[in-house]
Amino acid sequence: MEYTSLSDYLKEKYNTKVYKLSLSSGCSCPNRDGKLSTGGCIFCSEGGSGDFASSYNTDIEQQIIQAKSRVDQKISNKIPESERKYIAYFQSFTNTYGDEKRLMKLFEETISFQYIVGISIGTRPDCLSDEMIAFLGKLNQKKEVWVELGLQTIHEETARFINRGYELSVFEDAYKRLTDAGLKVVVHVILGLPGESTADMIESVKYLGQLSPTLFGIKLQLLHILTGTKLADIYEENPFHVLSLEEYCQVVGECLKVLPKETVIHRLTGDGPKKLLIAPLWSGNKKLVMNTMRKYIKELDS
């Protein structure tokens, strides 16, 4: 099955492998600070879905240096430091929520580093003012800008259960305003949410595959149950079915079939911190998971 991976997209565009630097903007989330709710989405850990990101530091250059140092340990010495390229990824919480002037200054400074070729900003569709979108549109003329939206599901009943805090129409409005500004949008979908059938999951992805203009990127995320989350409490009180590795591979395969070839697959799964992982435990073996998934997808073509 042919699809465009993020790695392939970046290699073609920048003629080299590009690495992500996970950074923190110091933002909170309206689903946590009381504006919408105080509990956040039920699956979200204390790290705000950014458990591997750098800790917040008002000096963004120091954050970048620290993140770059960690990533550089994985890069072959054959690639000179002067030729290494990175995407700055603001992952934790809602990175367009709060003091917009401070955030605009932060994003502007972040792209000023020559080795950073783009910036990816994780946020909510209900936290995107016209002013912020206009600013990001201008920033996009300097370096590539992605806006990542955690939709998770198109099904309103599930959205209420996971305490997402907005309706699908809010996402649709944000998508139109972002793409009208020329920005690339990456959407997160969680596979395996309680109560959703395989058909429900595929319906969410199919909906995204039919967006106009065509969706730039998607992240397919396995549902993780992590210690300290509301989801963990629910699971402990009333254990629900979690996907097996085989089931997950099958769902991903079906999802890939309904996506346009132009949509970049930014992620086929995800891995939460092992120290927090309650279920599914098989997801803690990242090498096994990726090898199994690649083999399964390859066999779909044969």
Side-chain angles (χ1 to χ4, degrees):
M1 180 181 295
E2 289 187 13
Y3 66 90
T4 303
S5 69
L6 176 60
S7 179
D8 290 341
Y9 167 82
L10 292 170
K11 281 181 182 177
E12 183 175 346
K13 182 159 187 174
Y14 298 106
N15 298 313
T16 187
K17 186 173 175 63
V18 179
Y19 298 83
K20 275 191 178 180
L21 303 178
S22 292
L23 308 172
S24 174
S25 67
C27 289
S28 180
C29 175
N31 216 12
R32 283 176 173 264
D33 69 3
K35 184 175 181 180
L36 288 176
S37 174
T38 55
C41 296
I42 63 172
F43 53 79
C44 198
S45 68
E46 286 301 312
S49 294
D51 297 288
F52 301 110
S54 296
S55 56
Y56 178 60
N57 185 330
T58 53
D59 186 341
I60 190 61
E61 182 175 9
Q62 283 303 310
Q63 260 202 79
I64 290 171
I65 289 171
Q66 290 169 7
K68 187 171 173 293
S69 176
R70 289 193 295 271
V71 170
D72 282 351
Q73 295 175 25
K74 305 174 185 177
I75 301 177
S76 169
N77 292 330
K78 294 179 181 178
I79 304 175
E81 190 168 350
S82 60
E83 295 179 13
R84 297 175 186 178
K85 296 177 180 178
Y86 308 84
I87 295 284
Y89 182 23
F90 288 94
Q91 179 179 16
S92 308
F93 302 107
T94 305
N95 294 286
T96 57
Y97 178 63
D99 184 343
E100 290 193 342
K101 288 185 178 179
R102 178 186 75 83
L103 291 170
M104 290 175 185
K105 182 180 178 182
L106 175 70
F107 299 148
E108 188 82 56
E109 185 178 354
T110 299
I111 69 160
S112 68
F113 296 90
Q114 187 175 0
Y115 48 79
I116 290 181
V117 296
I119 185 170
S120 187
I121 300 167
T123 189
R124 294 170 56 93
D126 55 353
C127 293
L128 285 161
S129 69
D130 290 341
E131 292 75 15
M132 177 59 77
I133 289 177
F135 166 78
L136 294 177
K138 291 179 181 177
L139 203 66
N140 190 47
Q141 295 171 14
K142 299 177 182 179
K143 289 187 178 178
E144 187 166 11
V145 176
W146 307 336
V147 178
E148 301 201 19
L149 302 176
L151 178 65
Q152 320 308 357
T153 179
I154 65 166
H155 303 289
E156 299 291 10
E157 185 177 348
T158 309
R160 287 191 291 271
F161 174 74
I162 64 175
N163 197 37
R164 190 178 67 188
Y166 64 85
E167 296 183 348
L168 185 60
S169 59
V170 176
F171 166 81
E172 292 171 338
D173 175 67
Y175 186 79
K176 183 179 188 305
R177 292 189 294 126
L178 288 165
T179 52
D180 282 351
L183 292 159
K184 292 183 172 72
V185 179
V186 182
V187 179
H188 297 216
V189 175
I190 294 180
L191 304 177
L193 288 168
E196 289 206 344
S197 65
T198 297
D200 292 331
M201 300 175 216
I202 296 167
E203 189 179 352
S204 288
V205 176
K206 188 174 183 179
Y207 160 86
L208 294 171
Q210 295 173 342
L211 288 173
S212 180
T214 301
L215 179 64
F216 163 66
I218 189 169
K219 285 186 173 179
L220 299 175
Q221 169 73 52
L222 167 70
L223 178 71
H224 290 108
I225 303 170
L226 301 176
T227 300
T229 63
K230 287 194 173 183
L231 186 63
D233 295 337
I234 293 169
Y235 185 71
E236 183 178 355
E237 292 175 15
N238 186 20
F240 51 84
H241 177 71
V242 293
L243 297 175
S244 67
L245 177 53
E246 182 181 5
E247 288 172 324
Y248 187 73
C249 288
Q250 290 171 350
V251 174
V252 169
E254 293 303 312
C255 289
L256 292 178
K257 291 178 184 178
V258 299
L259 286 168
K261 290 184 179 179
E262 305 97 296
T263 297
V264 178
I265 309 301
H266 285 236
R267 180 183 291 166
L268 286 172
T269 184
D271 52 330
K274 290 182 182 178
K275 62 182 180 181
L276 300 179
L277 183 63
I278 295 173
L281 292 176
W282 58 261
S283 66
N285 189 337
K286 188 174 182 179
K287 186 175 181 180
L288 169 67
V289 173
M290 293 311 300
N291 286 341
T292 304
M293 291 189 67
R294 291 191 187 103
K295 182 181 178 183
Y296 178 84
I297 292 169
K298 187 176 180 180
E299 288 176 348
L300 290 177
D301 291 328
S302 58

